[in-house]
Coordinates of all heavy atoms in Angstrom, one line a residue:
V307 N -9.2 23.8 -19.1 CA -10.3 23.8 -18.2 C -9.8 24.6 -16.9 O -8.8 24.1 -16.3 CB -10.8 22.4 -17.8 CG1 -12.0 22.6 -16.8 CG2 -11.2 21.6 -19.0
V309 N -9.7 25.5 -13.2 CA -10.2 24.8 -12.0 C -10.0 25.6 -10.7 O -10.4 25.1 -9.6 CB -9.5 23.4 -11.8 CG1 -9.9 22.5 -13.0 CG2 -8.0 23.5 -11.8
A310 N -9.4 26.7 -10.8 CA -9.1 27.5 -9.6 C -10.3 27.9 -8.9 O -11.4 28.1 -9.5 CB -8.2 28.7 -10.0
R311 N -10.3 28.0 -7.5 CA -11.4 28.5 -6.8 C -11.0 29.6 -5.9 O -9.8 29.8 -5.6 CB -11.9 27.3 -5.8 CG -12.5 26.2 -6.5 CD -13.1 25.2 -5.5 NE -13.2 23.9 -6.1 CZ -12.8 22.8 -5.6 NH1 -12.2 22.8 -4.4 NH2 -12.9 21.7 -6.2
D314 N -8.9 29.0 -2.8 CA -7.6 28.2 -2.9 C -6.5 28.9 -2.1 O -6.4 30.1 -2.2 CB -7.2 28.1 -4.3 CG -8.0 27.0 -5.1 OD1 -8.6 26.1 -4.4 OD2 -8.1 27.1 -6.3
K315 N -5.8 28.2 -1.4 CA -4.7 28.8 -0.6 C -3.4 29.0 -1.5 O -2.6 29.8 -1.3 CB -4.3 27.9 0.6 CG -5.5 27.7 1.5 CD -5.1 27.8 2.9 CE -6.3 28.0 3.8 NZ -7.4 27.1 3.5
K316 N -3.3 28.0 -2.5 CA -2.2 28.3 -3.5 C -2.8 28.2 -4.9 O -4.0 27.7 -5.0 CB -1.1 27.2 -3.3 CG -1.6 25.8 -3.5 CD -0.4 24.9 -3.4 CE -0.7 23.5 -3.9 NZ -1.2 22.5 -3.5
E317 N -2.1 28.7 -5.8 CA -2.6 28.7 -7.2 C -2.8 27.3 -7.8 O -1.8 26.6 -7.8 CB -1.7 29.6 -8.0 CG -2.4 30.1 -9.3 CD -1.5 30.7 -10.3 OE1 -0.6 31.4 -9.9 OE2 -1.6 30.4 -11.5
I318 N -3.9 27.0 -8.3 CA -4.1 25.8 -9.0 C -4.3 26.1 -10.5 O -5.4 26.7 -10.9 CB -5.4 25.0 -8.5 CG1 -5.4 25.0 -7.0 CG2 -5.5 23.7 -9.1 CD1 -4.5 24.0 -6.3
P319 N -3.3 25.8 -11.3 CA -3.4 26.2 -12.7 C -4.4 25.4 -13.5 O -4.8 24.3 -13.0 CB -2.0 25.9 -13.2 CG -1.3 25.1 -12.2 CD -2.0 25.2 -10.9
P320 N -4.9 25.9 -14.6 CA -5.9 25.1 -15.4 C -5.3 23.8 -15.9 O -4.1 23.6 -16.0 CB -6.2 26.0 -16.6 CG -5.2 27.1 -16.6 CD -4.5 27.1 -15.3
L321 N -6.2 22.8 -16.1 CA -5.8 21.6 -16.7 C -5.8 21.8 -18.3 O -6.8 22.3 -18.8 CB -6.8 20.5 -16.3 CG -6.5 19.1 -16.9 CD1 -6.7 18.0 -15.8 CD2 -7.4 18.7 -18.1
I322 N -4.8 21.4 -18.9 CA -4.7 21.5 -20.4 C -5.2 20.3 -21.0 O -4.7 19.2 -20.8 CB -3.2 21.8 -20.8 CG1 -2.7 23.0 -20.1 CG2 -3.2 21.9 -22.3 CD1 -1.2 23.3 -20.4
Y332 N -1.1 14.4 -20.0 CA -1.2 13.5 -18.9 C -2.6 13.6 -18.2 O -3.3 12.7 -17.9 CB -0.1 13.8 -17.9 CG 0.1 12.9 -16.8 CD1 0.0 11.5 -16.9 CD2 0.5 13.4 -15.5 CE1 0.2 10.6 -15.8 CE2 0.8 12.5 -14.5 CZ 0.6 11.2 -14.6 OH 0.8 10.4 -13.5
G333 N -3.0 14.9 -18.0 CA -4.3 15.1 -17.4 C -5.4 14.7 -18.2 O -6.4 14.2 -17.7
D336 N -5.7 10.9 -17.9 CA -6.2 10.5 -16.6 C -7.7 10.8 -16.4 O -8.4 10.0 -15.8 CB -5.4 11.2 -15.4 CG -4.4 10.3 -14.8 OD1 -4.7 9.1 -14.7 OD2 -3.3 10.7 -14.4
V356 N 0.3 7.2 -5.9 CA 1.3 7.8 -6.8 C 2.1 8.8 -5.9 O 1.6 9.4 -5.0 CB 0.6 8.5 -7.9 CG1 1.7 9.2 -8.9 CG2 -0.2 7.6 -8.8
D357 N 3.4 9.0 -6.3 CA 4.3 9.9 -5.6 C 3.6 11.3 -5.2 O 2.8 11.8 -6.0 CB 5.4 10.2 -6.6 CG 6.6 10.9 -6.0 OD1 6.4 11.9 -5.2 OD2 7.7 10.4 -6.2
Q358 N 3.8 11.7 -4.0 CA 3.3 12.9 -3.5 C 3.5 14.1 -4.4 O 2.7 15.1 -4.5 CB 3.9 13.2 -2.1 CG 3.2 14.3 -1.3 CD 1.8 14.0 -1.0 OE1 1.4 12.9 -0.8 NE2 1.0 15.0 -1.1
R359 N 4.6 14.1 -5.2 CA 5.0 15.2 -6.0 C 4.0 15.4 -7.2 O 4.0 16.4 -7.9 CB 6.4 15.0 -6.5 CG 7.4 15.2 -5.4 CD 8.8 14.9 -5.8 NE 9.0 13.5 -6.1 CZ 10.1 12.9 -6.3 NH1 11.2 13.6 -6.4 NH2 10.2 11.6 -6.5
Q360 N 3.1 14.4 -7.4 CA 2.1 14.6 -8.4 C 0.8 15.1 -7.8 O -0.3 15.0 -8.5 CB 1.9 13.3 -9.2 CG 3.1 12.8 -9.9 CD 2.8 11.8 -11.0 OE1 1.7 11.6 -11.4 NE2 3.9 11.0 -11.4
A361 N 0.8 15.6 -6.6 CA -0.4 16.0 -6.0 C -1.2 17.1 -6.8 O -2.4 17.0 -6.9 CB -0.1 16.6 -4.6
L362 N -0.5 18.0 -7.3 CA -1.2 19.1 -8.1 C -1.9 18.5 -9.3 O -3.1 18.9 -9.6 CB -0.2 20.2 -8.5 CG -0.8 21.4 -9.2 CD1 -1.8 22.1 -8.4 CD2 0.4 22.3 -9.7
H363 N -1.2 17.6 -10.0 CA -1.9 17.0 -11.2 C -3.2 16.3 -10.8 O -4.2 16.5 -11.4 CB -0.9 15.9 -11.7 CG -1.5 14.9 -12.6 ND1 -1.9 15.2 -13.9 CD2 -1.9 13.6 -12.4 CE1 -2.5 14.1 -14.4 NE2 -2.5 13.1 -13.5
F364 N -3.2 15.6 -9.7 CA -4.4 14.9 -9.3 C -5.5 15.9 -8.8 O -6.7 15.7 -9.1 CB -4.1 13.8 -8.2 CG -3.5 12.6 -8.8 CD1 -2.2 12.3 -8.6 CD2 -4.2 11.8 -9.7 CE1 -1.5 11.2 -9.2 CE2 -3.6 10.7 -10.3 CZ -2.3 10.4 -10.1
E365 N -5.1 17.0 -8.1 CA -6.0 18.0 -7.7 C -6.8 18.5 -9.0 O -8.0 18.7 -9.0 CB -5.3 19.1 -7.0 CG -6.2 20.2 -6.4 CD -7.2 19.7 -5.4 OE1 -6.8 18.8 -4.6 OE2 -8.3 20.1 -5.4
Q366 N -6.0 18.8 -10.0 CA -6.6 19.3 -11.2 C -7.6 18.3 -11.9 O -8.7 18.7 -12.2 CB -5.5 19.7 -12.3 CG -4.6 20.8 -11.9 CD -3.4 20.9 -12.8 OE1 -2.7 19.9 -13.1 NE2 -3.2 22.1 -13.4
V367 N -7.1 17.1 -12.0 CA -7.9 16.1 -12.6 C -9.2 15.8 -11.8 O -10.3 15.8 -12.4 CB -7.1 14.7 -12.7 CG1 -8.0 13.6 -13.2 CG2 -5.9 14.9 -13.7
F368 N -9.1 15.8 -10.5 CA -10.2 15.5 -9.6 C -11.2 16.6 -9.7 O -12.4 16.4 -9.8 CB -9.8 15.3 -8.2 CG -8.9 14.1 -7.9 CD1 -8.4 13.9 -6.7 CD2 -8.7 13.1 -8.9 CE1 -7.6 12.7 -6.4 CE2 -7.9 12.0 -8.7 CZ -7.3 11.8 -7.4
R369 N -10.7 17.8 -9.8 CA -11.7 19.0 -9.9 C -12.4 18.9 -11.2 O -13.6 19.2 -11.2 CB -10.9 20.3 -9.8 CG -10.5 20.6 -8.4 CD -9.9 21.9 -8.2 NE -9.4 22.1 -6.8 CZ -9.1 23.3 -6.3 NH1 -9.2 24.4 -7.1 NH2 -8.7 23.4 -5.1
V370 N -11.7 18.7 -12.3 CA -12.4 18.6 -13.6 C -13.5 17.5 -13.6 O -14.6 17.7 -14.0 CB -11.5 18.5 -14.8 CG1 -12.2 18.4 -16.1 CG2 -10.5 19.6 -14.8
H384 N -6.0 10.7 -3.9 CA -4.6 10.6 -4.3 C -3.9 10.1 -3.0 O -3.8 10.8 -2.0 CB -4.1 11.9 -4.7 CG -2.6 11.9 -4.9 ND1 -1.8 12.9 -4.7 CD2 -1.8 10.8 -5.3 CE1 -0.5 12.6 -5.0 NE2 -0.5 11.3 -5.3
I385 N -3.4 8.9 -3.0 CA -2.7 8.3 -1.9 C -1.2 8.6 -2.1 O -0.5 7.8 -2.7 CB -2.9 6.8 -1.7 CG1 -4.4 6.5 -1.8 CG2 -2.3 6.3 -0.5 CD1 -5.2 6.8 -0.6
G386 N -0.8 9.8 -1.7 CA 0.6 10.2 -2.0 C 1.6 9.5 -1.1 O 1.2 9.0 0.0

Side-chain angles (χ1 to χ4, degrees):
V307 183
V309 295
R311 290 186 203 131
D314 283 338
K315 299 222 167 46
K316 59 174 197 281
E317 198 193 317
I318 312 282
L321 180 134
I322 304 173
Y332 190 38
D336 255 327
V356 181
D357 196 311
Q358 190 61 38
R359 289 172 292 187
Q360 294 196 22
L362 182 61
H363 162 75
F364 287 109
E365 184 63 40
Q366 294 171 307
V367 172
F368 295 174
R369 285 188 183 193
V370 179
H384 173 212
I385 311 287

